[in-house]
């Protein structure tokens, strides 16, 4: 069993109520939204640095 499969099995077997599972899923979705925004920022920063390197390479700096 992989680590991810173990996590999935553990979550499925945990003795949570439907309300607790709903709250957990809401928290996961909120965290996913935050991480998605952070990844977009990292993509923009990365693109900026790559563009700067390409500009320098193009002019021979």
């Amino acid at each position: 069993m992989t680590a991810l499969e173990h996590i999935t099995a553990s979550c499925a077997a945990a003795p949570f109520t439907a309300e607790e599972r709903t709250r957990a899923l809401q928290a996961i979705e909120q965290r996913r939204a935050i991480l998605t925004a952070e990844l977009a920022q990292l993509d923009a920063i990365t693109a900026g640095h790559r563009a700067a390197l390409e500009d320098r390479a193009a002019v021979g700096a």
Side-chain angles (χ1 to χ4, degrees), residues 2-55:
T2 68
L4 292 177
E5 290 169 334
H6 181 70
I7 292 169
T8 300
S10 294
C11 289
F16 294 145
T17 65
E19 184 179 330
E20 289 170 325
R21 288 188 188 280
T22 299
R23 282 196 311 262
L25 289 170
Q26 289 169 343
I28 291 166
E29 288 303 317
Q30 288 174 350
R31 182 68 181 132
R32 185 186 313 275
I34 291 166
L35 290 171
T36 299
E38 290 174 354
L39 286 172
Q41 289 175 339
L42 289 173
D43 287 344
I45 292 167
T46 300
H49 285 297
R50 285 189 177 145
L53 284 172
E54 290 172 6
D55 287 348

